[in-house]
Amino acid sequence: MPPAADTASARGEDAHDGGTTAPGAAGGDDGRSRASESGPHGPAGDRRSAGPSSPGGDPPAPVPGVPRGRPPRNAPGAPWRAPTAAALLSCLVFCLGGLLAGSYPFGPTTRNTVDLGQQYLPFHAYWRRLLLGETDGDLFLNWNSGFGSNFLGDYGTYLSSPFDLMVLLFPADRIELALYAVTVAKISAAAAAMALLLPRLRPGPWPVAAVLGTAYALCGWTLNYAATVPMWLDGLLAFPLLCLVGEWARAGRRPLLGPLVVAIAWYANFYTAYMATVGAAVVLFVRLCTADDGARRRLAGLLRAARSVLVGIGLAAPLIVVIFLATRVAQPTPETSFTAVPWPEVFARLLPATASVASPALFIGTPALALALTLPFNRAVAAGVRWAWTAAICLVALSMQWEPTHLLWHAGASPNGIPYRQTFVLCGLLLIAAWLSTASGPPRTPALLGAGTLLTVLTLSSLGNPVVDRWTYPAFAAALALVVLAAAALLLARHRAAGARVLPAAAVVLLVLAQAGETAITGARIERQQLSRVSWSPRLGPWHTDTAEATASKDAWPRYRTDPGEVPGGNDVLLVGGQGADYYSSLTSEVLSGTLTSLGFGSYAKGRHPVSLDNPVTDALFSVGTRIRSTPSAPPRTDRLPEAAVTVTDTPVPPLVTVRPGLRPTAHGFRHGASAFDNQEALLGADVYEVPAAPRRANGPRGAVTLTVGCPAGAQVWFWAPRYRGTAVLGDRRPVAFAGGPPSVMAPMGRLGTVPDSGEVRIVLRPAGKLVLPERPVGCLVEERLTTAVEAATATGATSVRTSGHTLTAELPPGSTGTAVVAVPRISGWTCAAGDADPVPARSHLGLIAVPLDGTQTTVGCSFRPPGLRLGGAVGAAALLCLLATALRHRFLRRTGRVHPACTSGTSGGN
C-alpha cells in the first residue's frame, strides 16, 4: 500500500471527492484492492511511479487544470458537487425536451397518453384527496372505484413512493402539474444518486460524474418508458442506492442505513426495486471478484449485503405481501411468450431518438456510450477490472434476450406490454464502465480508436432499422462532432501549457453540450412519436370540472351511489367523484371483473378496466340512485379544452343492503355462458326482461346484417354483444356504436330504443370486421316489471346504511330472514357478522357480499382488511427486531473499541 493510502486509511479519510471512509470503502477498496483495480502502482488516478513499461499499462497523461490523486479533504461541499450538478442538469434537460416537444406544461399537447392519463393521474388525484381527508374511504378501502376496491394494494403499486407526497404542494386543479413535478423530482434524484455512486467506485473529476449521472437518469429507458410510468422511476433511483448499500457492506459500514435504504426502495416500488436489486447484486459480484481481498473478507462483505437486503425487504413486507396477495386474485392477463428482438434493433436502440415498446431502450448518449466502449481497450485500467466489467455487461445484455433469464429479471412472469423493463440496469452498468474508463483521466488514443471502431460497427448495423428516426443520425453526428472537439481540446492541452486551464474547461463544456443537447432532442422526438401514435387521453379541463360539480351536488353516499358516467380518460370516479364501476388497476380483482362482465358491463385492458354501464337494472343492483351523463357541448378548438353538456338523472333504487327472504348464498358465480340478461335477473331476483330466442339473420348490402326478433310493445331494446365492433341501428333511430372485438376490449350492453307497436324488432348491424354474437344478443326490458322489483327490494331492504373508512353497518327491518345482499363485490378481505355474532369471512352471492340471517338480527356489519396485512406485519416486526439487534451489537462493538475508527466516525459509520 502506498504511504499516502496508509495515512488516509488511518485517519478514516476518503480517497475520492470528499467524505470519509473506512478501509475497503470508497473508492471502494483499501490500498490492496485499489492496486488490483488500477495496476500494481496504486490507484489509476495517483500513479506517481508508473512509467510506460508498467505492467498495468500506459499511465494516463495528466489533464491540465484537473488535480491528480485525492482532492483536498476540506474542499467545501466537495462530496455534493457532482450530485447537485447532476440533479440540476437532468432537470433542465428533461424540461428542455418537453419544451421542444411542445408538451404539457410547456405547450398545449397533453402527456396523458395511455396509462399515464388513465391510471396514474387519477390515482394521484385521489391520493391528494385522501391525504386531505376528502374521500369516503381510507388507506384500506376505496369506496369510489369498482363499487369498493382494495386501496392498500393500489397504494403500494402506484403511490407509495415518498415523492408522491408532493401532490400536497399543488392545488386540486393542478394535479397534472403535480405529477409532472413528481416525475422530474424522481429523475433528478436518480441522477444525483448515480453521481454520488460513481466516485465511490473510483475517484475522479466531479464534472464527469455529474454528466454521467445525468446520462443515467435520462437514458432511453426513462425517456421511452418511465417518463409516462412514474412508479418505475423509483427503480431508476433504487439501483445506484442499492449499489451504495453493496459498497457499505463490503467495507462493513452503515449497518443500519443499508437496510433502511433497501426498505425504502422496495416500499416505494417493489417491482422495479427487485430488478434494481438483481442489478446491484451483479455490481457487488464484480466488485468482490476484482478486489484484492481474501476469501474471508469477500464472504463477510457478501453476507453483510445479504443481511441488508433481507432485513430491508422484511421491513417493507407489510406492503409487499399485501400487493403479492392482491396480485394473485387479480384479473389474469393472457399469457405472454417472450420473443427476443433482432440484435440490429438492440444496437439501434443505443442511438438517439429511437423509440419502441418492443425493444430495449438503451440510449445513454453518444458521449457516454463512446466512453463506455473505451473500457475494453483502456490499458490504464487493470486487465482484470476491464474484462470483468465487460463480461458482466455482455452477460446482462444476453440475459435480456434469453427467455429463462428474461423471466428471472421479471420475477418469473413475462410482462404484458413492454418486455424489456429491466433495461435501466444495463444502462447503469454501461455508465459505470464509462466512469471506470475515464475517472483517472481521458482514455488514450488506442482506447479511443477501439471505441470508435465499435461505435462505427453499431451504427452501420442499425442502418435501415424501423426504430430509427429521421433525427437519429443528425443528432448522433452532431454529438459525435462535439465529442471529437472535446477530445482534441484535451489532447492540445497536454502539449500546450498556455491552455492548461481554458482547454480542459472547454472540453467539459463541449461534453455537457453534446450529452445534454442530444438527450433533449431524443426526449422531444420520443415524446412526439408517442403522442402521434396514441393521443386519446385528454388534459383535464372544463369537462371534468363540470362533471365533478354535478356529482358533488348530488352525492348522497351511502344512502345510494352517484355514478359520474364516462368522462375522457379512465378511473373517472377518482377524478370527478362518485361511486361508480369505473376502475383501472393492475390489481383489479378477478371477482369484480368477472361479475361485471357477466352482467353486461364493458371493459378494457383485458378486463382490468371495467367501465360504467348506463342500465336501469344494474343501477338497481348496485344502488346507483343518481347518474351523471355528459357529452361534449361543442367540438374543441386546438387551443381550448372541450366543455361538456351535463345532465343529472335521479332514479328510485333499493338501498345498498337488501334482504332476500328464502335465499341461500351461492358459493359459485354466474353460470358459464349464461346471457347477461339472465344474470341480471338472477342477481335481482325478478324477471324483468323478455329475452327472445336466437334472432333471425338476413345479410344485406355492404356487409350489413339484419336481426329480427319479437318483443312486447313499449319495452326497451337492449343489445348485448361484448365481442362486437361496429354499429347497431333500431329502425330509423340513430346508430349506436359498439367497440368490442379484440381480446383486450369488451363492449358494454347498449340501449337501442323502444319496441314499436307492432312488436317486431329489426336491428341492422354494420360490423367493422368479423361478426361475433352471443346466442341471444337482444333483451327487451319491461319497465313495469323493474319498478315492481325495485319497490319490493326497497321494502325489505336496510332502513339505514352507514360507512366509515373500511367498514359498513346496516340497520335491517325486524324479523329479516334469508340473506342480506350487500351491493359490494365480494373481494378478498371482507369479514361480516349479523347482529352480535363474531365476524367471519364474508360469503358470496353471485359475486356480491352475502350475510345469512335467521330472523333474530337487526344489524349487519362488514369490515375490510387487505389480505396479507397481518402476515406482512409479522414479517416486518421480525425484521425490525433484527435491525434493532444489529444496532445494539454495533453500539456494543463501538463501546468496546472493536470497530474500526472509520466506522465510528460521525460521517462514515454513524447511522
Side-chain angles (χ1 to χ4, degrees), residues 368-386:
L369 178 61
L371 293 176
L373 294 178
T374 62
L375 181 62
F377 312 102
N378 192 345
R379 297 185 61 205
V381 181
V385 175
R386 279 187 283 143

Side-chain angles (χ1 to χ4, degrees), residues 47 54 125 169 176 315 406 418 439 497 679 705 737 772 868 889 900:
R47 295 190 188 179
S54 300
L169 303 177
E176 288 177 286
L315 291 173
H406 163 82
I418 301 171
N679 292 336
V705 176
V772 180
R889 177 179 179 274
H900 192 278

Side-chain angles (χ1 to χ4, degrees), residues 516-535:
E518 187 184 39
T519 302
I521 292 173
T522 297
R525 291 303 303 168
I526 288 176
E527 195 159 341
R528 282 185 175 273
Q529 291 179 56
Q530 291 174 330
L531 294 171
S532 66
R533 293 168 185 165
V534 181
S535 59

Side-chain angles (χ1 to χ4, degrees), residues 46-124:
D46 194 22
R47 295 190 188 179
R48 297 180 176 87
S49 59
S53 59
S54 300
D58 295 338
V63 180
V66 178
R68 302 295 302 273
R70 302 175 185 84
R73 187 186 181 281
N74 59 355
W80 300 106
R81 287 176 181 170
T84 302
L88 293 175
L89 183 60
S90 61
C91 175
L92 177 64
V93 173
F94 183 74
C95 292
L96 179 60
L99 179 64
L100 294 175
S103 62
Y104 182 85
F106 306 103
T109 307
T110 177
R111 296 181 67 248
N112 299 336
T113 56
V114 196
D115 289 350
L116 179 63
Q118 293 190 90
Q119 278 186 301
Y120 319 135
L121 181 66
F123 271 120
H124 281 79

Side-chain angles (χ1 to χ4, degrees), residues 799-800 809-816 834-836 853-860:
T799 57
S800 70
T809 304
E811 299 285 341
L812 304 179
S816 297
D836 297 329
L853 304 172
D854 61 9
T856 63
Q857 305 97 343
T858 58
T859 61
V860 167

Side-chain angles (χ1 to χ4, degrees), residues 252-322:
R253 303 168 59 210
R254 295 190 167 97
L256 302 183
L257 184 59
L260 291 177
V261 170
V262 175
I264 293 173
W266 278 72
Y267 186 90
N269 185 257
F270 82 99
Y271 182 60
T272 51
Y274 164 78
M275 302 174 194
T277 303
V278 175
V282 173
V283 173
L284 178 62
F285 180 76
V286 176
R287 294 284 286 168
L288 291 173
C289 289
T290 56
D292 189 16
D293 294 335
R296 183 175 180 180
R297 186 175 179 183
R298 294 179 183 177
L299 180 60
L302 184 62
L303 292 177
R304 285 191 293 265
R307 179 191 62 191
S308 293
V309 171
L310 291 177
V311 172
I313 295 175
L315 291 173
L319 192 60
I320 295 174
V321 176
V322 169

Side-chain angles (χ1 to χ4, degrees), residues 82 143 253 314 513 530 539 543 556 583 636 794 860 895 899:
W143 283 115
R253 303 168 59 210
L513 287 176
Q530 291 174 330
R539 286 178 55 186
W543 191 331
Y583 179 48
T794 303
V860 167
R895 285 185 173 181
V899 179

